[in-house]
Amino acid sequence: MATSFYQVKNYYLSSLKEELGTGETTIVLDDETGLPEDYPYLLTIWDSTLYGNNPNLDPNMEIVEVTEDYVGDGYTIVRGKEDTSDVTHAVGSAVAMLLTAGIIKQIQDAINALE
């Protein structure tokens, strides 16, 4: 049985085109160029105005799982992944595809399953 991994791509960085309110399950991005064509994948959202290129400094940083496109400009997401919280993110907040503990754990679990 094949292991299903999160999709990944190098160097994806954009920002929110619309505010992402608490509980909302659709994310709208300024630029979709460079996103994977298949699902699922993880995105990290943070306030780059206050925290620059350091999402780990933002106490409201959130990791979301993108599960599919929807008709229009947005993507369907699952909020608060990897022990982050579902919080409101302002227009212009940074959105990036970063290496996360969840991605590494998937790889480790697949390797351990072979042993």
Side-chain angles (χ1 to χ4, degrees):
M1 181 173 160
T3 301
S4 179
F5 292 103
Y6 285 120
Q7 303 299 305
V8 294
K9 280 209 158 177
N10 288 328
Y11 312 119
Y12 177 75
L13 177 63
S14 186
S15 58
L16 290 179
K17 187 174 185 176
E18 297 178 4
E19 179 180 277
L20 182 61
T22 302
E24 291 184 14
T25 58
T26 302
I27 188 171
V28 181
L29 305 167
D30 278 329
D31 185 2
E32 300 166 1
T33 306
L35 286 173
E37 294 179 12
D38 296 317
Y39 305 94
Y41 53 86
L42 299 175
L43 294 175
T44 302
I45 307 167
W46 75 98
D47 183 341
S48 58
T49 302
L50 292 176
Y51 301 101
N53 292 327
N54 296 301
N56 59 311
L57 297 178
D58 184 350
N60 292 314
M61 178 273 297
E62 182 178 358
I63 297 172
V64 300
E65 179 181 346
V66 179
T67 58
E68 63 184 316
D69 276 329
Y70 83 96
V71 177
D73 294 335
Y75 295 86
T76 302
I77 58 173
V78 177
R79 306 289 302 270
K81 301 298 283 187
E82 299 189 30
D83 298 321
T84 62
S85 297
D86 174 349
V87 297
T88 297
H89 301 282
V91 170
S93 293
V95 180
M97 184 170 288
L98 303 174
L99 182 62
T100 70
I103 293 169
I104 294 171
K105 184 166 179 357
Q106 278 190 326
I107 296 166
Q108 290 172 329
D109 290 347
I111 291 169
N112 289 334
L114 297 173
E115 294 177 349

